[in-house]
C-alpha cells in the first residue's frame, strides 16, 4: 500500500482505508472501500442504486457508524473503529459540508435563520456578522431576495441552492453532494448544477454522487464507479465514462447515457 | 311549563365566579400538563427502558381510565401521600394535570415522530451538538406541529373541568348545579351554563383551524 503511486502524492485531503459497513438488517453496503483524494480533486461517484454510493458519502460525513476501517482527513484521524464502536471526531467533521437529495432546510427558520444557525451556535459567531456574511453569500448565488423566505416558499432548486450556501457558511474544506438534483423537476436542475460548477471553479474539493452523466463529465476531475459496495473503476472522466474497462461499468454507462441523456 | 331565562341575571355574579375558576383550572392544568406531557414524550422516545417503561405505563393508565375516577382517586389519595388534606382545588389541579400530561404526551410524541430523519442528518452535517439540535431544530418544530392539537386538547380539558364539581370545587358547572337545585330551574340554568362553555370553546376551535391552515402551511410542516 505505502509503495503505491497514490500514497506518493503529497498529503491526501481524504484517506479512506478498508471501510466496511452494513446496516442492522441486510447485506453489507460497503465491502472494503479504499480511497485517497487530493485537495484539488472533484470526484464524481457513479453506479447502480444500492451500490453504496450514498452510504459512502454518509460515512465520510460522519453520519454513520462503520464496521471496520479508518478515515483520515487532512492528516488528522477522523473516523476510527475500536471493537464495535465507531469514533467520529466532531472537530474534524466540521471541515466537511454536505448537501442531501431530500430538502433538508430547517422548516421553522427562514433562509437567513437556516444559514446562521450553525455559525452562531457551533462557531460562536455573532448574529450580526453571520447575517452579514449570509447576505453576501446569498447575493453571490442570486438568492438575495429570498433572505426572509421560509423553505416552503422556495422552489426545489432554490431550496438546494440555499442548502449549498448553508454548508458554505462553515467554510468547508470538502463538499459532499448526494444526488442533489435527483428530486428536482428537470427545469430546475441546471440552476443547482450551475452553483456547483461555480464552486468547482473556485477549486473547492468535492465528492459528487449523481446520475447525471453529462454533469459528471463536465465537473469531474476523477470518476469512481461503485457497485456492490466496492470501487470497481477509478480514473479520469474520459476513461471511466468514455471507455470503461470493466463489463459492469460499460453496461451501466451505456444504459445511463442512453436513457438519461 | 314555562321558561324564564330572565332569572339567570340574578345569578350572573356567582356564575361568573364559577367560570373564572373553570378557566383558571384549565390554564394551570394545561400549562403543567404540557410540561409533564413533553417530559413523558421525551422519556418515551428515549433509548433507555428505565425511562420508557414507566412513561408508557403512566400514559396508558391515565388515558385508559375515566377522568372522574382519576379525580376521586387523587382527591382521596393525595391526603394519604402528603399527610395533610390539600384544598380540593389543589386535588383538581393535580388530577387534571396528570390526565392532561398523558394526553399531551401523545400529541408531542406524534409531533416528534413526524420530524424526518433528514433534519437530524442536516444538523449533524452542520456540526450542531446533540443539545443544540434538540434546542434549536427539533423542539421548535415539534412545538409548532403540536400547537394546533394542544389547543384542541385545551378545549377538551376546559370542558372536562366540569367534572371537578364532583369533588367540591366551585367551578362553573358546580355553581350552575347548585343554583338549579336550589331554585328548581334546571333547564334555564344548565342551558345557560352550556352556552357559556360553548361561547368560550367555540372561538378556540376556530383558532385551531386557522392556525392549522395559516401557520403550518406557511412552514409546510
Amino acid at each position: 500500500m505505502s509503495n503505491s503511486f497514490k500514497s506518493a502524492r503529497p498529503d491526501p485531503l481524504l484517506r479512506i482505508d478498508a471501510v466496511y459497513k452494513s446496516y442492522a438488517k441486510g447485506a453489507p453496503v460497503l465491502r472494503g472501500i479504499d480511497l485517497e483524494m487530493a485537495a484539488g480533486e472533484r470526484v464524481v461517484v457513479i453506479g447502480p442504486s444500492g451500490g453504496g454510493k450514498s452510504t459512502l458519502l454518509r460515512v465520510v460525513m460522519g453520519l454513520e457508524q462503520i464496521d471496520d476501517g479508518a478515515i483520515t482527513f487532512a492528516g488528522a484521524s477522523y473516523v476510527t473503529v475500536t471493537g464495535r464502536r465507531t469514533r467520529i471526531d466532531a472537530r474534524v467533521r466540521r471541515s466537511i459540508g454536505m448537501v442531501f437529495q431530500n430538502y433538508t432546510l430547517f422548516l421553522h427558520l427562514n433562509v437567513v435563520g437556516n444559514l446562521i444557525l450553525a455559525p452562531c451556535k457551533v462557531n460562536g459567531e455573532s448574529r450580526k456578522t453571520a447575517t452579514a456574511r449570509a447576505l453576501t453569500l446569498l447575493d453571490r448565488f442570486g438568492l438575495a431576495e429570498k433572505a426572509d423566505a421560509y423553505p416552503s416558499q422556495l422552489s426545489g432548486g432554490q431550496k438546494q441552492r440555499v442548502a449549498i450556501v448553508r454548508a458554505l457558511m462553515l467554510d468547508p474544506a470538502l463538499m459532499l453532494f448526494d444526488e442533489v438534483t435527483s428530486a428536482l423537476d428537470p427545469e430546475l436542475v441546471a440552476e443547482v448544477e450551475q452553483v456547483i460548477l461555480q464552486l468547482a471553479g473556485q477549486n473547492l474539493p468535492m465528492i459528487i454522487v449523481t446520475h447525471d452523466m453529462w454533469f459528471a463529465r463536465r465537473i469531474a476531475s476523477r470518476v469512481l464507479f461503485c457497485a456492490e459496495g466496492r470501487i470497481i473503476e477509478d480514473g479520469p472522466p474520459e476513461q471511466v465514462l468514455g471507455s470503461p474497462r470493466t463489463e459492469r461499468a460499460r453496461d451501466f454507462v451505456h444504459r445511463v447515457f442512453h436513457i438519461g441523456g | 311549563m314555562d321558561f324564564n331565562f330572565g332569572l339567570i341575571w340574578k345569578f350572573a355574579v356567582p356564575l361568573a365566579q364559577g367560570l373564572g375558576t373553570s378557566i383558571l383550572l384549565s390554564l394551570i392544568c394545561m400549562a403543567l400538563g404540557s410540561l409533564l406531557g413533553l417530559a413523558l414524550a421525551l422519556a418515551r422516545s428515549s433509548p433507555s427502558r428505565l425511562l420508557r417503561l414507566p412513561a408508557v405505563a403512566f400514559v396508558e393508565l391515565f388515558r385508559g381510565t375515566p377522568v372522574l375516577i382519576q379525580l376521586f382517586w387523587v382527591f382521596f389519595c393525595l391526603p394519604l401521600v402528603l399527610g395533610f388534606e390539600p384544598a380540593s382545588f389543589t386535588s383538581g389541579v393535580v388530577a387534571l394535570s396528570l390526565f392532561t400530561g398523558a394526553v399531551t404526551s401523545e400529541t408531542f410524541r406524534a409531533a416528534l415522530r413526524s420530524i424526518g430523519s433528514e433534519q437530524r442528518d442536516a444538523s449533524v452535517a452542520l456540526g450542531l451538538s446533540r443539545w443544540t439540535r434538540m434546542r434549536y431544530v427539533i423542539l421548535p418544530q415539534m412545538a409548532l406541529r403540536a400547537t394546533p392539537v394542544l389547543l384542541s386538547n385545551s378545549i377538551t380539558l376546559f370542558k372536562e373541568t366540569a367534572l371537578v364539581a364532583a369533588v367540591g370545587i366551585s367551578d362553573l358547572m358546580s355553581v350552575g348545579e347548585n343554583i338549579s337545585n336550589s331554585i328548581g330551574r334546571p333547564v334555564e340554568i344548565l342551558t345557560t351554563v352550556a352556552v357559556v362553555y360553548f361561547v368560550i370553546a367555540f372561538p378556540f376551535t376556530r383558532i385551531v383551524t386557522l392556525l392549522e391552515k395559516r401557520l403550518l402551511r406557511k412552514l409546510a410542516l
Side-chain angles (χ1 to χ4, degrees), chain A residues 58 61-63 93-94 96 98 100 103-108 117-118 121-122 150 152-153 166-167 170, chain B residues 118-129 132 136-138 140-141 144-145 217-221:
Chain A
R58 293 178 61 83
M61 187 64 252
L63 290 169
R93 176 161 63 190
R94 284 186 209 161
I96 304 173
M98 181 162 177
F100 300 82
Y103 309 127
T104 56
L105 295 181
F106 302 132
L107 301 169
H108 63 299
L117 181 63
K121 301 301 167 198
V122 180
Y150 282 87
S152 63
Q153 299 163 323
R166 183 173 68 177
L170 297 169
Chain B
E118 77 281 352
Q119 298 278 317
R120 174 204 168 258
D121 287 347
S123 305
V124 174
L126 288 168
L128 304 183
S129 67
T132 309
Y136 294 98
V137 177
I138 305 298
Q141 292 191 39
L144 283 170
R145 278 169 210 246
R217 189 181 301 157
K218 183 179 175 193
L219 302 177
L221 283 168

Side-chain angles (χ1 to χ4, degrees), chain A residues 17-78:
Chain A
D17 273 320
V19 164
Y20 288 80
K21 156 91 189 158
S22 50
Y23 289 105
K25 307 167 212 169
V29 194
L30 301 180
R31 307 173 189 222
I33 297 278
D34 292 296
L35 179 69
E36 259 184 37
M37 178 183 172
E41 290 191 296
R42 291 182 302 281
V43 177
V44 168
V45 187
I46 59 166
S49 300
K53 309 183 299 290
S54 288
T55 303
L56 175 60
L57 283 202
R58 293 178 61 83
V59 164
V60 174
M61 187 64 252
L63 290 169
E64 301 283 350
Q65 311 269 306
I66 56 175
D67 304 338
D68 201 5
I71 304 179
T72 57
F73 188 83
S77 172
Y78 171 34

Side-chain angles (χ1 to χ4, degrees), chain B residues 7-17 179:
Chain B
L7 63 83
I8 60 161
W9 293 113
K10 285 202 288 184
F11 304 104
V13 173
L15 283 172
Q17 282 168 344
I179 296 169

Side-chain angles (χ1 to χ4, degrees), chain A residues 165-221:
Chain A
V165 175
R166 183 173 68 177
L168 293 178
M169 286 290 290
L170 297 169
D171 218 358
L174 171 67
M175 275 297 294
L176 310 174
F177 297 98
D178 185 13
E179 298 196 34
V180 292
T181 58
S182 296
L184 296 180
D185 291 334
E187 73 272 20
L188 301 176
V189 169
E191 61 179 87
V192 176
E193 292 183 343
Q194 199 53 49
V195 170
I196 302 175
L197 284 166
Q198 206 173 327
L199 298 176
Q202 295 159 18
N203 276 326
L204 181 61
M206 48 183 81
I207 306 179
I208 303 167
V209 169
T210 183
H211 287 297
D212 183 339
M213 293 302 136
W214 303 101
F215 180 61
R217 179 166 269 178
R218 201 163 159 209
I219 198 160
S221 66

Side-chain angles (χ1 to χ4, degrees), chain A residues 85-100:
Chain A
R85 280 188 66 87
T86 304
R87 222 189 62 80
I88 298 163
D89 190 317
R91 196 172 285 239
V92 176
R93 176 161 63 190
R94 284 186 209 161
S95 314
I96 304 173
M98 181 162 177
V99 182
F100 300 82

Side-chain angles (χ1 to χ4, degrees), chain B residues 97-154:
Chain B
S97 297
L98 293 177
F99 168 70
T100 308
V103 173
T104 56
S105 83
E106 289 294 295
T107 307
F108 281 122
R109 203 162 69 98
L112 195 60
R113 291 174 73 144
S114 71
I115 300 173
S117 65
E118 77 281 352
Q119 298 278 317
R120 174 204 168 258
D121 287 347
S123 305
V124 174
L126 288 168
L128 304 183
S129 67
R130 196 179 289 256
W131 163 246
T132 309
R133 188 201 325 158
M134 202 61 182
R135 164 77 181 76
Y136 294 98
V137 177
I138 305 298
L139 286 181
Q141 292 191 39
M142 175 167 104
L144 283 170
R145 278 169 210 246
T147 299
V149 188
L150 286 178
L151 281 175
S152 253
N153 291 347
S154 58

Side-chain angles (χ1 to χ4, degrees), chain B residues 15 172-173 175-177 188-198:
Chain B
L15 283 172
L172 178 58
M173 181 67 207
V175 171
E177 231 177 340
E188 287 89 340
I189 298 294
L190 292 182
T191 305
T192 305
V193 166
V195 167
V196 172
Y197 275 111
F198 181 80

